[in-house]
Amino acid sequence: MVVKYRTGQFIVNLQSENKKASASYLKKLYRRSSLFRWQLKPSFQVDINRFIPPTDPWRGSAKIGGEILHSGLPANRNQPEYFSFDWLRDVRDFGGDAARIFVRDEISLWLSENINWDAKSWHPKILGDRLCNLIFSYKWYANSASETFQNRLLSKLAVESQCLALDWQTQSNIDDQITAIRGLLVAQSSFNTKLSDMRPLLQIFERKLLEILNEDGGHVSRQPETHFKILTQLFECRVAMAQVGINDIQWLDLILTKMGAIAKMWRSGSGNFAHFHGGGITHAERIDDVVKRCGPTGKVTRHAKQTGFLRLSSGRTTLIMDCAGPVKTIPENSASLASFEVHFAGTPFIVNVGQLSEEKLIKSAFCQTAAHTSLTLDNLNNCSLRSDGYELVRALEIGPATGGTLIHIAHDGYMNSHGIVHERQVYLATGGGNIRGSDTLRYTGGPGAIPKTCITRFHLHPRVSAAMVSNGTIVLKVSSQKAGWLFKCKGANPVLEPSVYFEGKRRLRSQQIILRMHAQDIRHLSEKILKWSFAKQ
């Protein structure tokens, strides 16, 4: 059954989400026909004077824009990414008449060569991005253009909006649906649609957002980059609607505030996202631009209970910990339970490797527990997609301790394999100059293999140099900072080994501190404990 609601000038298709659009030959043939073009004809008169494009809230890269102009080609025209016009902001921010003429020529070429529907260039994700990119930069490249150019472009935008209204629900991924709906909302606002006519689509939008967001505002994937992408798209919708006088959308304002707070919680000392679940790609300047507009003023979220992260700060030291189990529907998430990062004076100090490689085998390796500052037992991951999500964490406490703050987490990541519970305590002293912790393995009496070796790893940022001195003490020095740190431990002999770290997409050499402890006798002793500390000198 197909139900249609008219939302302003566009008709949104509310067909069952389980019914996917057929990719058959007949469908493709129909969609490239004049009959389908007639179906996409807008039900309103395109009028330049009624079109109100919003002011773009985002900046591009003038450097990249200059490179595009110099090469004369923004992207490979055979790739779908070209048709999204993601490069337009960069050329705009480079500026100048030559840049404006270049953009108009590219748009004119696109208008001439893409009259008929195409499965790739008219894909809902591409359509949503293209509508937003062309509309947000419209004032710069089109306001001074001829009426013929503007009429031709606006007619095309109206047609593509109608196609997007028909196709957005064909996307099985709700994030992709959000991307498409955001394109519709920006287009409807710009074509001066009344709020009363947009309410059906806004209600759908709200329902979809509630499906992908936790109560605290974090994206259910627990992936910082995915969360950030949705946050920027929601803000674009808010800007577009506010510019035409639509301000009474309190639920969207509340979501933006919550999501902004979570984004701030994930930020490392350098301003990028900490290396959890693929975080660390987006530049700090871009994150700063967005969270200043969306995030609440004042304190940063300390504990996102539903999203499953903790953040402690004292002095110039910040500690971020992953304290939840995996999301079953997100296979690319890391086995990073109980791992943490420490950032000191704006520099990452103790880190996770990150997993930014496009190669599946390499990415899989970086998703393992061993690629994080955590404990592994017999080289196994401490959580998997077979686990029951948050039920892995059997205890989580955070509170004041003498002279600082203490985190205690206990999880069942090794219960099925060894009948063992892992408990980790991390203490951050007031002032941030002392970080102490312990890793305890407790045998529960349950079935499983007898463990051989447990390893606790502390991956160090490339800007941190480490050297072994007497009595198992390690001296650490953060480049460009006067203060050094001393690492000590009890229960194992520390060693230094090579590691890697991803800064954006660059792979850098680094070091890691390794603590190995034999665990064959745990059933006799009931528990095995490793204690460790980092002290500022």
Side-chain angles (χ1 to χ4, degrees), residues 432-466:
N434 194 307
I435 303 165
R436 301 196 302 270
S438 65
D439 286 298
T440 302
L441 298 178
R442 298 190 188 279
Y443 178 56
T444 64
I450 297 176
K452 297 179 180 179
T453 306
C454 79
I455 299 176
T456 293
R457 292 175 172 85
F458 301 92
H459 294 275
L460 305 176
H461 189 266
R463 291 180 61 184
V464 178
S465 58

Short mmCIF file of all heavy atoms in Angstrom, two decimals, residues 432-466:
data_model
loop_
_atom_site.label_atom_id
_atom_site.label_comp_id
_atom_site.label_asym_id
_atom_site.label_seq_id
_atom_site.Cartn_x
_atom_site.Cartn_y
_atom_site.Cartn_z
N GLY A 432 45.42 16.86 37.52
CA GLY A 432 45.75 16.10 36.31
C GLY A 432 47.16 15.58 36.23
O GLY A 432 47.56 15.02 35.20
N GLY A 433 47.95 15.69 37.31
CA GLY A 433 49.35 15.29 37.23
C GLY A 433 49.62 13.85 37.62
O GLY A 433 50.78 13.43 37.62
N ASN A 434 48.58 13.10 37.94
CA ASN A 434 48.77 11.72 38.35
C ASN A 434 47.60 10.87 37.84
O ASN A 434 46.44 11.19 38.11
CB ASN A 434 48.86 11.63 39.89
CG ASN A 434 49.39 10.29 40.36
OD1 ASN A 434 48.88 9.26 39.98
ND2 ASN A 434 50.42 10.34 41.20
N ILE A 435 47.94 9.81 37.13
CA ILE A 435 46.93 8.89 36.63
C ILE A 435 47.33 7.49 37.09
O ILE A 435 48.41 7.00 36.73
CB ILE A 435 46.84 8.92 35.09
CG1 ILE A 435 46.54 10.33 34.59
CG2 ILE A 435 45.77 7.95 34.58
CD1 ILE A 435 46.78 10.53 33.12
N ARG A 436 46.49 6.88 37.90
CA ARG A 436 46.80 5.55 38.42
C ARG A 436 45.66 4.60 38.06
O ARG A 436 44.52 5.01 37.89
CB ARG A 436 46.98 5.58 39.94
CG ARG A 436 48.07 6.49 40.43
CD ARG A 436 48.44 6.19 41.86
NE ARG A 436 47.33 6.29 42.79
CZ ARG A 436 47.00 7.41 43.44
NH1 ARG A 436 47.69 8.52 43.23
NH2 ARG A 436 46.00 7.41 44.28
N GLY A 437 46.01 3.32 37.94
CA GLY A 437 44.97 2.37 37.61
C GLY A 437 45.37 0.95 37.91
O GLY A 437 46.51 0.66 38.30
N SER A 438 44.40 0.06 37.71
CA SER A 438 44.66 -1.37 37.89
C SER A 438 43.77 -2.15 36.95
O SER A 438 42.67 -1.71 36.58
CB SER A 438 44.39 -1.79 39.34
OG SER A 438 43.01 -1.65 39.66
N ASP A 439 44.26 -3.31 36.54
CA ASP A 439 43.48 -4.26 35.75
C ASP A 439 43.44 -5.57 36.53
O ASP A 439 44.48 -6.17 36.81
CB ASP A 439 44.11 -4.48 34.38
CG ASP A 439 43.91 -3.30 33.45
OD1 ASP A 439 42.74 -2.99 33.15
OD2 ASP A 439 44.91 -2.68 33.04
N THR A 440 42.23 -6.00 36.87
CA THR A 440 42.05 -7.21 37.67
C THR A 440 41.26 -8.25 36.88
O THR A 440 40.21 -7.93 36.31
CB THR A 440 41.30 -6.89 38.98
OG1 THR A 440 42.03 -5.90 39.71
CG2 THR A 440 41.14 -8.14 39.82
N LEU A 441 41.77 -9.47 36.85
CA LEU A 441 41.04 -10.60 36.27
C LEU A 441 40.52 -11.46 37.40
O LEU A 441 41.30 -11.92 38.25
CB LEU A 441 41.96 -11.43 35.37
CG LEU A 441 42.54 -10.72 34.14
CD1 LEU A 441 43.45 -11.66 33.37
CD2 LEU A 441 41.43 -10.19 33.23
N ARG A 442 39.20 -11.67 37.45
CA ARG A 442 38.60 -12.48 38.50
C ARG A 442 37.97 -13.72 37.89
O ARG A 442 37.14 -13.64 36.97
CB ARG A 442 37.52 -11.68 39.25
CG ARG A 442 38.04 -10.46 39.95
CD ARG A 442 36.99 -9.84 40.86
NE ARG A 442 37.43 -8.57 41.39
CZ ARG A 442 38.24 -8.42 42.44
NH1 ARG A 442 38.70 -9.51 43.05
NH2 ARG A 442 38.60 -7.22 42.85
N TYR A 443 38.35 -14.88 38.41
CA TYR A 443 37.77 -16.13 37.93
C TYR A 443 36.44 -16.35 38.65
O TYR A 443 36.37 -16.30 39.88
CB TYR A 443 38.71 -17.30 38.19
CG TYR A 443 38.15 -18.62 37.76
CD1 TYR A 443 37.73 -18.82 36.44
CD2 TYR A 443 38.01 -19.67 38.67
CE1 TYR A 443 37.19 -20.03 36.04
CE2 TYR A 443 37.49 -20.89 38.28
CZ TYR A 443 37.07 -21.06 36.96
OH TYR A 443 36.53 -22.27 36.57
N THR A 444 35.38 -16.61 37.88
CA THR A 444 34.03 -16.74 38.46
C THR A 444 33.64 -18.17 38.75
O THR A 444 32.58 -18.42 39.32
CB THR A 444 33.00 -16.14 37.49
OG1 THR A 444 32.99 -16.91 36.28
CG2 THR A 444 33.31 -14.69 37.18
N GLY A 445 34.47 -19.11 38.35
CA GLY A 445 34.12 -20.51 38.50
C GLY A 445 33.38 -21.07 37.31
O GLY A 445 33.03 -22.25 37.28
N GLY A 446 33.12 -20.23 36.31
CA GLY A 446 32.42 -20.65 35.12
C GLY A 446 33.30 -21.46 34.19
O GLY A 446 34.53 -21.52 34.34
N PRO A 447 32.68 -22.08 33.18
CA PRO A 447 33.45 -22.89 32.22
C PRO A 447 34.26 -21.99 31.29
O PRO A 447 34.02 -20.79 31.19
CB PRO A 447 32.37 -23.66 31.46
CG PRO A 447 31.17 -22.76 31.52
CD PRO A 447 31.24 -22.09 32.87
N GLY A 448 35.21 -22.61 30.60
CA GLY A 448 36.02 -21.88 29.64
C GLY A 448 37.45 -22.37 29.65
O GLY A 448 37.85 -23.19 30.49
N ALA A 449 38.23 -21.86 28.73
CA ALA A 449 39.63 -22.25 28.63
C ALA A 449 40.44 -21.66 29.78
O ALA A 449 40.11 -20.60 30.32
CB ALA A 449 40.19 -21.77 27.29
N ILE A 450 41.51 -22.36 30.15
CA ILE A 450 42.44 -21.82 31.14
C ILE A 450 43.30 -20.77 30.45
O ILE A 450 43.96 -21.07 29.45
CB ILE A 450 43.32 -22.94 31.73
CG1 ILE A 450 42.45 -23.96 32.47
CG2 ILE A 450 44.36 -22.35 32.68
CD1 ILE A 450 43.22 -25.15 33.00
N PRO A 451 43.29 -19.53 30.92
CA PRO A 451 44.03 -18.46 30.24
C PRO A 451 45.54 -18.67 30.35
O PRO A 451 46.03 -19.28 31.30
CB PRO A 451 43.59 -17.20 30.97
CG PRO A 451 43.22 -17.67 32.34
CD PRO A 451 42.62 -19.04 32.15
N LYS A 452 46.23 -18.16 29.37
CA LYS A 452 47.69 -18.24 29.37
C LYS A 452 48.33 -16.89 29.72
O LYS A 452 49.10 -16.79 30.67
CB LYS A 452 48.19 -18.72 28.01
CG LYS A 452 47.74 -20.13 27.65
CD LYS A 452 48.25 -20.53 26.28
CE LYS A 452 47.79 -21.95 25.92
NZ LYS A 452 48.27 -22.34 24.56
N THR A 453 48.00 -15.88 28.93
CA THR A 453 48.66 -14.58 29.11
C THR A 453 47.65 -13.45 28.94
O THR A 453 46.82 -13.46 28.02
CB THR A 453 49.79 -14.39 28.08
OG1 THR A 453 50.68 -15.50 28.16
CG2 THR A 453 50.54 -13.10 28.35
N CYS A 454 47.73 -12.48 29.81
CA CYS A 454 46.98 -11.23 29.61
C CYS A 454 47.98 -10.12 29.34
O CYS A 454 49.10 -10.11 29.88
CB CYS A 454 46.09 -10.91 30.80
SG CYS A 454 46.93 -10.17 32.20
N ILE A 455 47.59 -9.19 28.47
CA ILE A 455 48.46 -8.08 28.08
C ILE A 455 47.68 -6.77 28.21
O ILE A 455 46.59 -6.64 27.66
CB ILE A 455 48.96 -8.22 26.62
CG1 ILE A 455 49.77 -9.51 26.47
CG2 ILE A 455 49.79 -7.01 26.22
CD1 ILE A 455 50.22 -9.75 25.03
N THR A 456 48.23 -5.85 28.95
CA THR A 456 47.69 -4.50 29.01
C THR A 456 48.60 -3.60 28.17
O THR A 456 49.82 -3.60 28.34
CB THR A 456 47.63 -3.97 30.45
OG1 THR A 456 46.66 -4.74 31.19
CG2 THR A 456 47.22 -2.52 30.48
N ARG A 457 47.97 -2.87 27.25
CA ARG A 457 48.71 -2.00 26.33
C ARG A 457 48.38 -0.54 26.59
O ARG A 457 47.22 -0.19 26.84
CB ARG A 457 48.39 -2.33 24.87
CG ARG A 457 48.89 -3.69 24.40
CD ARG A 457 48.41 -3.96 22.97
NE ARG A 457 49.02 -5.16 22.42
CZ ARG A 457 48.58 -6.40 22.60
NH1 ARG A 457 47.49 -6.59 23.34
NH2 ARG A 457 49.20 -7.42 22.07
N PHE A 458 49.40 0.30 26.48
CA PHE A 458 49.24 1.75 26.52
C PHE A 458 49.88 2.30 25.24
O PHE A 458 51.11 2.42 25.15
CB PHE A 458 49.91 2.36 27.75
CG PHE A 458 49.37 1.84 29.06
CD1 PHE A 458 49.96 0.74 29.68
CD2 PHE A 458 48.26 2.41 29.65
CE1 PHE A 458 49.48 0.24 30.87
CE2 PHE A 458 47.75 1.92 30.85
CZ PHE A 458 48.37 0.83 31.46
N HIS A 459 49.06 2.59 24.24
CA HIS A 459 49.57 3.16 22.99
C HIS A 459 49.88 4.64 23.20
O HIS A 459 49.06 5.38 23.76
CB HIS A 459 48.54 3.00 21.87
CG HIS A 459 48.29 1.57 21.50
ND1 HIS A 459 49.08 0.88 20.60
CD2 HIS A 459 47.34 0.68 21.91
CE1 HIS A 459 48.63 -0.35 20.47
NE2 HIS A 459 47.58 -0.51 21.26
N LEU A 460 51.04 5.05 22.76
CA LEU A 460 51.50 6.44 22.96
C LEU A 460 51.40 7.21 21.66
O LEU A 460 51.62 6.66 20.57
CB LEU A 460 52.94 6.45 23.46
CG LEU A 460 53.22 5.63 24.73
CD1 LEU A 460 54.70 5.65 25.06
CD2 LEU A 460 52.39 6.16 25.91
N HIS A 461 51.07 8.48 21.78
CA HIS A 461 50.99 9.34 20.59
C HIS A 461 52.39 9.52 19.99
O HIS A 461 53.39 9.48 20.73
CB HIS A 461 50.40 10.70 20.98
CG HIS A 461 50.08 11.58 19.82
ND1 HIS A 461 50.97 12.52 19.34
CD2 HIS A 461 48.98 11.64 19.03
CE1 HIS A 461 50.41 13.14 18.30
NE2 HIS A 461 49.22 12.63 18.09
N PRO A 462 52.49 9.70 18.67
CA PRO A 462 53.82 9.88 18.05
C PRO A 462 54.65 11.02 18.63
O PRO A 462 55.88 11.00 18.54
CB PRO A 462 53.47 10.14 16.58
CG PRO A 462 52.18 9.42 16.38
CD PRO A 462 51.42 9.60 17.66
N ARG A 463 53.98 12.03 19.22
CA ARG A 463 54.72 13.13 19.82
C ARG A 463 55.23 12.81 21.22
O ARG A 463 55.85 13.65 21.87
CB ARG A 463 53.84 14.38 19.86
CG ARG A 463 53.54 14.97 18.49
CD ARG A 463 52.66 16.20 18.59
NE ARG A 463 53.30 17.26 19.35
CZ ARG A 463 52.69 18.42 19.64
NH1 ARG A 463 51.44 18.63 19.27
NH2 ARG A 463 53.33 19.34 20.34
N VAL A 464 55.00 11.59 21.68
CA VAL A 464 55.48 11.16 22.99
C VAL A 464 56.64 10.19 22.78
O VAL A 464 56.50 9.17 22.10
CB VAL A 464 54.36 10.46 23.79
CG1 VAL A 464 54.90 9.97 25.13
CG2 VAL A 464 53.18 11.41 23.99
N SER A 465 57.78 10.50 23.36
CA SER A 465 58.94 9.61 23.30
C SER A 465 59.06 8.90 24.64
O SER A 465 58.78 9.48 25.70
CB SER A 465 60.21 10.38 22.98
OG SER A 465 60.44 11.39 23.95
N ALA A 466 59.46 7.65 24.61
CA ALA A 466 59.56 6.84 25.83
C ALA A 466 60.90 6.12 25.86
O ALA A 466 61.40 5.66 24.84
CB ALA A 466 58.41 5.85 25.90
#
